[in-house]
Amino acid sequence: MGQPSVPPPLTPPAPPLMGGGASGGCQVRCAGCRMILTVGAGLTEFVCPTCQLPQMLPPELVSRTHLPPVPAHGIDPTKIQLPCAHCKAILNVPHGLSRFACPQCGIDLAVDISKLKQFFPPRLPPEEVNEVAIEVEREEDEGGMVGETFTDYLPPKLSIGPPHPDHVVETSSLSAVQPPEPTYDLKIKDDLEISKALSCLQIETLVYACQRHLHHLQSGARAGFFIGDGAGVGKGRTIAGLIWENWHHERRKALWISVGSDLKFDARRDLDDVGATCVEVHALNKLPYSKLDSKSVGVREGVVFLTYSSLIASSEKGRSRLQQLVQWCGSGYDGLVIFDECHKAKNLVPEAGGQPTRTGEAVLELQARLPEARVVYCSATGASEPRNLGYMMRLGLWGAGTCFPNFREFLGALDKGGVGALELVAMDMKARGMYVCRTLSYKGVEFEIVEAPLEDHMTEMYKRAAEFWAELRVELLSASAFLTDEKPNSSQVWRVYWASHQRFFRHMCMAAKVPAAVRLSKQALMENKCVVIGLQSTGEARTEEAVTKYGLELDDFISGPRELLLKFVEENYPLPEKPESLPGEESVKELQRKRHSATPGVSLKGRVRKVAKWKPASDGESDEDFEPDSEHESTESDDEFQICEICNTEEERKKLLQCSCCAQLVHPSCLVPPMIEVVSEEWSCDLCKERTDEYLQARHAYVAELLKRYEAAVERKSKILEIIRALDLPNNPLDDIIDQLGGPDKVAEMTGRRGMLVRASTGKGVTYQARNTKDVTMEMVNMNEKQLFMDGKKFVAIISEAGSAGVSLQADRRAVNQRRRVHLTLELPWSADRAIQQFGRTHRSNQASAPEYRLLFTNLGGERRFASIVAKRLETLGALTQGDRRAGLSLSAYNYDSAYGKRALMVMYRGIMEQDSLPVVPPGCSSEKPETIQEFIMKAKAALVSVGIVRDTVLGNGKDSGKLSGRIVDSDMHDVGRFLNRLLGLPPDIQNRLFELFVGILDLLVQNARTEGHFDSGIVDMKANVIELQGTPKTVHVDQMSGASTVMFTFTMDRGITWESATTLLDEKQKDGLGSATDGFYESKREWLGRRHFLLAFEGSSSGMFKIIRPAVGEAIREMTLAELKSKYRRVSSLEKARSGWENEYEVSSKQCMHGPNCKLGNFCTVGRRLQEVNVLGGLIFPIWGTIEKALSKQARQSHKRLRVVRIETTTDNQRIVGLLVANAAVESVLQDLAWVQDLDP
């Protein structure tokens, strides 16, 4: 019943608890983890350092300290602890149990309830909650201040080569990590020092890549290297240097896989630049599928350049490019395999329910079949999403010899690790010498977000288009009601409908920005600058369809949205099947004859047919030999006489008439009236004639109805097509911009399309023509256009994602056109990483001037917010892999398709469907006027119905008259992508209101998560006035391959603000004239432990928000509203009183936390403590991630369980450390699990 068994002998000496020695103390067994603990003399309450269970000594040990310590089992707090009257053993007695036997000495015992009170201390009054302490704890949990995000970069351990031509930076987090010692000696070092073709940065990459390629993973495959440099740093020339170095080691074959075949020319240029003129570049798409090293093809060495799409290509005969490449490389191939722009191989490990891409699988297979190959991954945004690392199998982050057996486990750890985990991966990779990531500084680059609000005409056009799509949906639903048998076809129609819907409104958004784009372009050209306009889609498919339909000469440019709508309706409008023409009498008779002959084995003559059993004829016998004559004879005799169906008499067959429909036989004389003349073979009886006439009439009516229905549907379809043709819709933006900026002679186009519409020289009408000329092939047209732009023959360039990957359009010092680039975005991709790829076209190395970025957006839905996100990210240069989330936007807060975004969407949907109340007041509504909220909910519900999110709708009657009811399927409840796409198809007013509501709820959820300490904000700075390293850092883990180590650092921090500093801050604020009447010192309205808390408050970044500075912890991250400030604090008018309270709190906080001297966590608690000890696990973290996670999970306090990545810099010598913050209470547990406890002993 819970009593302990006989305790084992205590042979090993128990460790002291909380620093206490064994002398004068006692030993107990922990009730949680069963470890033996030594409790110091005088201690009655304690927390187990291993499992963090709060416990107290049993009453017997407390009251009889003069007795020798009794070896006791752990205290079970759910039971009463009582001593045995005989052997004095402490027993855990369940409440209510009055009689039992001692399990140690066996004596029977009874509980005397009247004497129990002496064992229980008097009940303390409930502990008073210190609200200020809770507030401070939340602020501390949010992390530190945002510091400098980037630092200038120079190779820390190499000094070969000239400096890079442009300013290069690295995130300060990555700069806190040192790469391993360079040991590789380059063969081409002397050549490079003479030619100065590569900068010191690029040479550093060469050394570390070659050094990494000397190692093998535990799986047996050669280790790979990841070049994560930002766009424009010079990855192409670095790759050329790697090829040239390997060439000198007699590795004469290399595979270079990139995104576009045009980049082959850049590869050739880069190889020439590093002096590798003798290395040939072979474009795989120009070569046959036969063996590359055969006599007919003759590719025996050099670089085979191919695209990712070529990698999955195969010939008509089934030969694959992948097999061809593996055969060319040969067994034991140890040359280079370069995956350039390798983010194209993403989605190898898709979201649940998705399929891996063929490209991702091919990249994986190529690596698996060439285990000795020297693999290099190159991408500025290669790991923007953790699952996109799946193809980088040669980095050794998972698999044999790691703590993650496969990629799924690795991905799971990253997901659990939150925002900071991926940064740690980047830092780990750098520390192990497999990763470099530098970025061009954006100093001198200008950013401007330009709002292009919808003009009145465009707003009206957009509204009508949205209404038309809603009406079209209703029309399709009613038209589909006639097609009950066409269910599979119906689902296909809706898939195409929503895809077309999304594409249509993307076109509309883009077209709305054309006037602003043209105006800004003309302004830039007048200022002697040149223009680059970026978009995602060209509308080529719609243009080609229209040209096929209307001819090469047209009155005006094609309207992409109109053609898309026409195509959808023409191909997908559900028409009933067109009925066949009415059958003639002959075919009706044939139909009836077939019906009568449907019974097998019965002849038309009414007798049983004898069926012969056939078998195949052998070589030696013929059919004549097989069939006996007797059978033919018997059949003949059967036909001689038949029976009349009317008189039932037998008659010769030839004297009877036979109905051609029902086949009955009758005497002509038996008919009424009797038949005298000779009749034709197609005679039919009266009954059959009657039935035939009835059938024909019914059939005629049925077919007429079908035809009427079909013609009505065709007419409806024609009317819809007429309405579409009459709709006022914008032209194709790409053609429109080119036309307004002077036509193809003035504008360089680098897109994936083959033809374009050009305005006729007369100014009337447009003509379709190919983009290339006689002198330029279609393959070279983008390269030719790029050259015309760089040579200053054209000053406007339009680029699409498909046509410009890897293209350099910066104001290159080597180019003729060195005008400053003004980069306009007409269409932003929803992915910020793809936006960065596009912006990297104009901001690259060796440029004469930095570009100006103009991010265009409309006032629709999420466009503005998304544009600001990309701008923030660009301003601070971030890409996720660069190891610092503040290097870009706070992705967790602004990424709509996050866990918080999905929750926000569900909350919003439930509120609109009136299943729950909305947590925020919808835009344009007032909480004081509930009818406004109700009106909004009705409009929102109707809007969601019109875009197909709310289904199975029913219009209520009675008391619910006019109310819509319906349901949102579970898969839609969390589908943020679908919501954002469907949102575009709503009229601007309700679209913006719905989006603002969604964002309002998302912000609230994120704020709540911050307040509760659950929000993971990635790497945070730990700031204090004084930060010093305490003692010598201890090495706790060493990586076998690279020698990189994990180190435990201990820092002491003084976070306080003296009275003098606080008054100086206030004086400066007031001197500058920036102060407000509410600035000053405040004290808490309530007392805790006989003291009030003091703070300094002054107006912050926005009106009504106040910066808070506390004596013990300095400036708080979160600003406080005036209402909150006045509700919790009151202004101190007497400076003397403020000074006394401030200095008292400053002094007290050096020794204890805000909870006072009786805090449950004792010295481990740091809430509001001015002087504190901080432990950071730095260096290599990810290999021991699982161990640390397991150790932290045992902590008692929730905030101590979280894996938090911090950056800390000493104030004495500016030493910067980035690593995992380990709470003081958890240090011993973490080190025990790492099995390096002995190293911590002095």
Side-chain angles (χ1 to χ4, degrees):
M1 298 193 70
Q3 294 90 343
S5 55
V6 181
L10 302 174
T11 44
L17 184 75
M18 296 184 287
S23 58
C26 62
Q27 291 180 318
V28 294
R29 192 183 293 278
C30 171
C33 62
R34 317 292 290 168
M35 281 187 70
I36 306 283
L37 307 176
T38 301
V39 182
L43 278 178
T44 57
E45 292 186 8
F46 56 93
V47 175
C48 172
T50 305
C51 68
Q52 298 303 306
L53 182 69
Q55 303 167 71
M56 62 180 285
L57 285 178
E60 181 68 9
L61 290 183
V62 174
S63 57
R64 303 187 184 183
T65 49
H66 60 279
L67 292 174
V70 178
H73 274 266
I75 308 306
D76 185 344
T78 64
K79 299 182 175 71
I80 308 169
Q81 283 71 46
L82 297 173
C84 171
H86 182 254
C87 67
K88 308 301 181 195
I90 302 298
L91 309 176
N92 289 313
V93 182
H95 290 272
L97 187 68
S98 56
R99 290 185 174 278
F100 55 89
C102 174
Q104 191 147 300
C105 63
I107 195 165
D108 288 330
L109 298 169
V111 178
D112 186 349
I113 294 167
S114 63
K115 294 181 181 177
L116 276 181
K117 288 180 184 173
Q118 65 175 302
F119 291 106
F120 297 104
R123 187 183 292 273
L124 294 170
E127 186 182 347
E128 195 174 16
V129 177
N130 186 336
E131 288 174 4
V132 176
I134 292 170
E135 204 173 282
V136 171
E137 185 176 359
R138 282 175 182 167
E139 286 168 5
E140 289 179 359
D141 272 349
E142 280 186 26
M145 311 284 285
V146 175
E148 270 296 310
T149 310
F150 284 88
T151 53
D152 292 343
Y153 184 82
L154 281 172
K157 297 186 176 180
L158 276 166
S159 56
I160 314 168
H164 202 68
D166 289 275
H167 200 58
V168 175
V169 292
E170 183 183 42
T171 61
S172 49
S173 302
L174 270 181
S175 67
V177 180
Q178 290 294 306
E181 290 298 322
T183 55
Y184 184 86
D185 191 22
L186 286 172
K187 277 205 171 186
I188 59 169
K189 182 170 70 174
D190 296 338
D191 294 346
L192 291 175
E193 285 187 338
I194 296 164
S195 68
K196 297 190 172 9
L198 295 181
S199 70
C200 55
L201 266 74
Q202 292 164 319
I203 292 173
E204 180 193 33
T205 307
L206 256 63
V207 169
Y208 281 117
C210 293
Q211 187 168 315
R212 173 76 176 168
H213 285 152
L214 297 175
H215 296 285
H216 283 75
L217 305 175
Q218 288 208 8
S219 63
R222 191 181 294 277
F225 191 79
F226 184 5
I227 303 174
D229 290 338
V233 171
K235 293 191 289 293
R237 202 178 276 199
T238 305
I239 293 168
L242 275 171
I243 292 169
W244 192 225
E245 170 68 18
N246 278 276
W247 187 273
H248 282 74
H249 285 273
E250 300 304 316
R251 292 187 279 271
R252 298 291 175 91
K253 291 180 180 180
L255 298 180
W256 190 334
I257 306 161
S258 194
V259 288
S261 50
D262 289 353
L263 298 178
K264 180 194 81 168
F265 303 103
D266 288 2
R268 177 71 272 163
R269 181 201 63 205
D270 290 330
L271 283 164
D272 292 345
D273 288 346
V274 298
T277 50
C278 61
V279 180
E280 285 190 61
V281 180
H282 309 278
L284 187 65
N285 63 341
K286 298 292 182 189
L287 299 173
Y289 278 83
S290 52
K291 288 185 178 180
L292 292 176
D293 49 9
S294 64
K295 282 185 181 179
S296 59
V297 182
V299 178
R300 303 196 184 281
E301 61 182 29
V303 177
V304 170
F305 191 93
L306 65 146
T307 63
Y308 287 98
S309 50
S310 295
L311 196 59
I312 56 173
S314 57
S315 69
E316 290 175 1
K317 293 180 180 176
R319 292 176 184 162
S320 73
R321 287 293 193 195
L322 184 64
Q323 184 58 44
Q324 184 185 25
L325 292 170
V326 171
Q327 182 274 324
W328 181 69
C329 292
S331 59
Y333 174 73
D334 62 351
L336 283 169
V337 175
I338 296 135
F339 295 108
D340 195 6
E341 306 292 352
C342 60
H343 50 274
K344 289 290 176 185
K346 66 183 181 181
N347 292 338
L348 176 69
V349 182
E351 299 281 355
Q355 290 295 314
T357 56
R358 285 175 61 210
T359 307
E361 289 179 327
V363 166
L364 214 56
E365 188 183 344
L366 185 64
Q367 293 175 81
R369 292 176 70 174
L370 301 173
E372 283 295 317
R374 288 168 155 76
V375 175
V376 178
Y377 308 103
C378 301
S379 175
T381 55
S384 56
E385 183 64 33
R387 64 181 63 253
N388 291 348
L389 289 165
Y391 55 86
M392 297 190 188
M393 60 192 292
R394 295 292 186 87
L395 295 181
L397 297 172
W398 61 88
T402 69
C403 58
F404 308 109
N406 54 49
F407 180 67
R408 290 272 178 198
E409 298 271 337
F410 173 79
L411 191 60
L414 281 180
D415 289 344
K416 274 195 283 184
V419 177
L422 199 57
E423 282 85 331
L424 283 178
V425 175
M427 290 159 58
D428 273 18
M429 290 195 297
K430 181 185 172 184
R432 287 152 77 179
M434 64 169 99
Y435 180 59
V436 290
C437 182
R438 295 76 49 107
T439 313
L440 283 182
S441 167
Y442 272 44
K443 279 181 183 170
V445 174
E446 291 177 25
F447 295 93
E448 187 186 346
I449 295 178
V450 181
E451 184 168 358
L454 268 66
E455 296 166 356
D456 292 344
H457 172 66
M458 188 69 196
T459 305
E460 190 58 33
M461 192 189 290
Y462 198 101
K463 187 180 172 187
R464 282 189 183 165
E467 287 167 356
F468 175 80
W469 274 95
E471 287 166 12
L472 178 61
R473 181 170 167 272
V474 175
E475 178 65 37
L476 289 174
L477 283 168
S478 57
S480 301
F482 291 111
L483 307 177
T484 49
D485 303 333
E486 301 290 323
K487 284 289 179 195
N489 186 40
S490 176
S491 63
Q492 176 64 23
V493 166
W494 290 115
R495 273 199 295 274
V496 178
Y497 173 88
W498 290 118
S500 305
H501 179 273
Q502 180 182 332
R503 214 172 296 129
F504 177 92
F505 286 104
R506 284 277 175 87
H507 269 295
M508 294 289 284
C509 284
M510 199 160 61
K513 290 178 271 191
V514 167
V518 170
R519 177 174 49 79
L520 289 169
S521 299
K522 287 180 175 176
Q523 186 184 328
L525 292 169
M526 283 172 67
E527 293 169 0
N528 206 31
K529 296 171 184 172
C530 61
V531 180
V532 176
I533 300 171
L535 42 77
Q536 294 298 109
S537 49
T538 61
E540 181 187 28
R542 304 290 82 77
T543 304
E544 287 190 347
E545 284 162 11
V547 167
T548 307
K549 202 184 333 179
Y550 309 125
L552 296 175
E553 294 184 4
L554 305 162
D555 293 336
D556 201 354
F557 290 110
I558 298 297
S559 167
R562 180 180 290 113
E563 291 304 317
L564 190 143
L565 253 178
L566 287 170
K567 179 182 166 67
F568 170 72
V569 173
E570 280 169 357
E571 293 183 0
N572 297 285
Y573 187 86
L575 290 173
E577 201 173 330
K578 187 175 180 179
E580 295 174 11
S581 57
L582 284 172
E585 197 171 327
E586 298 304 315
S587 55
V588 172
K589 288 177 180 177
E590 183 63 31
L591 198 83
Q592 294 201 8
R593 189 184 297 117
K594 282 179 182 172
R595 192 173 69 240
H596 280 280
S597 64
T599 313
V602 177
S603 71
L604 288 173
K605 303 170 185 119
R607 296 286 180 98
V608 175
R609 183 186 296 122
K610 294 181 179 176
V611 181
K613 293 182 179 175
W614 292 87
K615 67 176 181 181
S618 66
D619 292 340
E621 54 187 22
S622 65
D623 290 346
E624 288 80 37
D625 295 332
F626 173 69
E627 286 189 4
D629 293 338
S630 59
E631 187 145 328
H632 291 287
E633 288 166 10
S634 64
T635 307
E636 287 298 322
S637 62
D638 277 350
D639 282 347
E640 283 177 15
F641 290 92
Q642 296 288 350
I643 295 168
C644 170
E645 296 281 350
I646 297 172
C647 64
N648 286 329
T649 56
E650 199 169 37
E651 187 68 72
E652 283 184 50
R653 167 71 182 84
K654 56 190 177 189
K655 291 181 180 179
L656 295 174
L657 277 176
Q658 184 175 30
C659 176
S660 59
C661 290
C662 62
Q664 69 173 347
L665 295 162
V666 293
H667 287 107
S669 57
C670 290
L671 292 169
V672 180
M675 295 270 309
I676 301 163
E677 70 266 11
V678 179
V679 293
S680 67
E681 287 183 10
E682 293 301 317
W683 173 82
S684 53
C685 63
D686 289 345
L687 186 62
C688 287
K689 277 182 184 173
E690 196 178 319
R691 283 180 180 167
T692 301
D693 291 343
E694 283 175 11
Y695 171 78
L696 283 172
Q697 283 174 8
R699 173 80 177 163
H700 186 84
Y702 173 69
V703 170
E705 180 60 35
L706 284 183
L707 198 59
K708 188 177 168 187
R709 206 177 278 182
Y710 173 76
E711 285 168 354
V714 169
E715 193 179 342
R716 288 291 302 157
K717 179 178 176 180
S718 302
K719 280 185 180 173
I720 291 168
L721 292 171
E722 280 172 31
I723 293 168
I724 294 169
R725 291 189 186 100
L727 275 176
D728 186 12
L729 291 171
N731 290 336
N732 182 9
L734 180 55
D735 288 325
D736 216 357
I737 289 176
I738 293 174
D739 181 52
Q740 291 190 51
L741 291 177
D745 295 339
K746 303 277 186 186
V747 180
E749 181 187 332
M750 279 155 269
T751 66
R753 66 177 187 168
R754 295 182 292 276
M756 58 184 169
L757 288 168
V758 180
R759 192 169 294 284
S761 53
T762 57
K764 290 181 180 178
V766 293
T767 311
Y768 182 79
Q769 62 184 46
R771 280 185 56 217
N772 63 316
T773 59
K774 288 178 184 176
D775 306 328
V776 183
T777 62
M778 186 59 74
E779 186 190 29
M780 290 297 294
V781 69
N782 282 344
M783 293 301 294
N784 182 59
E785 290 285 285
K786 174 201 160 183
Q787 206 52 51
L788 289 170
F789 178 74
M790 297 302 274
D791 291 345
K793 291 174 183 172
K794 295 182 181 181
F795 290 108
V796 180
I798 295 190
I799 60 173
S800 74
E801 189 178 23
S804 66
V807 171
S808 307
L809 298 173
Q810 80 275 28
D812 199 319
R813 292 189 180 100
R814 295 174 295 182
V816 177
N817 177 9
Q818 292 187 23
R819 289 188 183 190
R820 187 169 192 184
R821 274 42 171 171
V822 176
H823 192 138
L824 305 174
T825 63
L826 194 66
E827 185 183 19
L828 278 171
W830 281 107
S831 153
D833 296 310
R834 282 164 63 193
I836 284 173
Q837 285 286 346
Q838 193 191 97
F839 282 121
R841 302 306 106 227
T842 49
H843 182 54
R844 303 178 79 78
S845 291
N846 201 37
Q847 60 191 13
S849 59
E852 296 175 20
Y853 290 117
R854 303 278 182 271
L855 276 68
L856 294 177
F857 64 89
T858 63
N859 52 351
L860 285 171
E863 264 216 324
R864 174 175 190 156
R865 190 176 173 97
F866 188 74
S868 66
I869 290 168
V870 176
K872 261 192 213 171
R873 187 168 176 138
L874 280 163
E875 275 178 339
T876 48
L877 284 172
L880 204 62
T881 40
Q882 289 173 324
D884 192 331
R885 283 299 169 108
R886 280 192 319 278
L889 55 134
S890 171
L891 275 180
S892 297
Y894 292 105
N895 175 15
Y896 308 134
D897 209 353
S898 63
Y900 291 107
K902 287 172 182 174
R903 270 182 55 207
L905 186 67
M906 189 180 72
V907 169
M908 184 183 80
Y909 281 163
R910 289 181 67 84
I912 290 171
M913 299 308 290
E914 298 176 86
Q915 297 166 354
D916 239 324
S917 57
L918 286 166
V920 298
V921 177
C925 300
S926 166
S927 54
E928 293 162 10
K929 295 181 180 176
E931 67 274 8
T932 58
I933 297 174
Q934 200 55 43
E935 186 189 348
F936 170 81
I937 285 174
M938 279 181 67
K939 284 183 179 176
K941 204 181 289 183
L944 294 178
V945 168
S946 72
V947 291
I949 286 173
V950 175
R951 309 184 191 190
D952 303 337
T953 48
V954 177
L955 199 60
N957 49 33
K959 65 174 183 178
D960 294 328
S961 179
K963 276 194 174 183
L964 273 174
S965 65
R967 67 188 182 95
I968 299 175
V969 295
D970 289 345
S971 58
D972 280 356
M973 284 298 269
H974 305 94
D975 197 334
V976 180
R978 177 167 287 178
F979 166 70
L980 291 172
N981 287 327
R982 299 276 174 93
L983 196 67
L984 285 173
L986 292 172
D989 175 50
I990 189 67
Q991 180 183 148
N992 288 343
R993 289 178 74 186
L994 263 175
F995 188 80
E996 282 172 39
L997 175 63
F998 168 67
V999 168
I1001 295 171
L1002 174 61
D1003 288 346
L1004 180 72
L1005 291 179
V1006 169
Q1007 187 54 49
N1008 288 348
R1010 283 185 187 282
T1011 306
E1012 291 159 16
H1014 300 149
F1015 187 74
D1016 190 352
S1017 49
I1019 296 178
V1020 293
D1021 278 328
M1022 299 204 72
K1023 292 283 187 183
N1025 294 325
V1026 180
I1027 301 176
E1028 292 176 346
L1029 185 63
Q1030 186 182 328
T1032 310
K1034 305 288 181 184
T1035 301
V1036 296
H1037 176 80
V1038 178
D1039 179 55
Q1040 296 293 317
M1041 188 187 294
S1042 63
S1045 57
T1046 310
V1047 180
M1048 176 69 86
F1049 298 89
T1050 304
F1051 298 92
T1052 51
M1053 293 172 60
D1054 185 345
R1055 304 184 292 170
I1057 299 278
T1058 61
W1059 169 255
E1060 291 74 21
S1061 302
T1063 49
T1064 307
L1065 271 173
L1066 186 60
D1067 291 345
E1068 283 174 0
K1069 195 81 176 165
Q1070 288 168 342
K1071 269 183 201 169
D1072 296 341
L1074 301 171
S1076 77
T1078 40
D1079 292 354
F1081 292 95
Y1082 287 75
E1083 66 173 354
S1084 59
K1085 289 182 178 178
R1086 289 186 59 189
E1087 280 189 1
W1088 288 277
L1089 303 170
R1091 291 190 299 114
R1092 295 184 193 275
H1093 292 291
F1094 287 77
L1095 57 81
L1096 167 63
F1098 51 81
E1099 200 161 46
S1101 55
S1102 56
S1103 178
M1105 299 300 291
F1106 285 79
K1107 277 194 179 296
I1108 302 299
I1109 294 170
R1110 302 182 191 275
V1113 296
E1115 187 178 331
I1117 305 294
R1118 188 175 68 90
E1119 292 187 350
M1120 196 180 282
T1121 61
L1122 182 60
E1124 187 183 352
L1125 181 67
K1126 287 191 170 179
S1127 70
K1128 295 179 181 177
Y1129 300 88
R1130 61 170 168 247
R1131 184 97 180 267
V1132 182
S1133 51
S1134 161
L1135 267 182
E1136 194 50 47
K1137 183 183 178 185
R1139 176 179 186 149
S1140 167
W1142 189 281
E1143 288 180 341
N1144 178 41
E1145 192 166 341
Y1146 181 85
E1147 190 55 42
V1148 169
S1149 63
S1150 64
K1151 304 183 190 73
Q1152 67 182 41
C1153 66
M1154 290 184 91
H1155 303 114
N1158 298 323
C1159 176
K1160 289 175 185 173
L1161 290 181
N1163 289 336
F1164 290 147
C1165 184
T1166 59
V1167 175
R1169 184 182 283 221
R1170 178 166 65 83
L1171 299 176
Q1172 60 175 249
E1173 201 174 84
V1174 172
N1175 299 285
V1176 176
L1177 210 51
L1180 203 62
I1181 302 293
F1182 219 72
I1184 53 170
W1185 182 273
T1187 311
I1188 299 164
E1189 192 176 36
K1190 187 178 170 188
L1192 292 181
S1193 67
K1194 300 172 188 172
Q1195 301 308 300
R1197 195 176 267 181
Q1198 191 64 36
S1199 59
H1200 292 174
K1201 291 182 179 182
R1202 269 191 21 227
L1203 287 153
R1204 289 179 61 198
V1205 186
V1206 297
R1207 177 167 55 200
I1208 191 165
E1209 189 172 345
T1210 57
T1211 50
T1212 45
D1213 56 359
N1214 294 351
Q1215 184 182 353
R1216 190 188 294 113
I1217 302 297
V1218 177
L1220 279 181
L1221 178 68
V1222 181
N1224 295 352
V1227 171
E1228 193 172 339
S1229 176
V1230 168
L1231 294 175
Q1232 275 179 358
D1233 281 18
L1234 287 171
W1236 280 71
V1237 184
Q1238 66 275 19
D1239 279 11
L1240 288 171
D1241 294 335

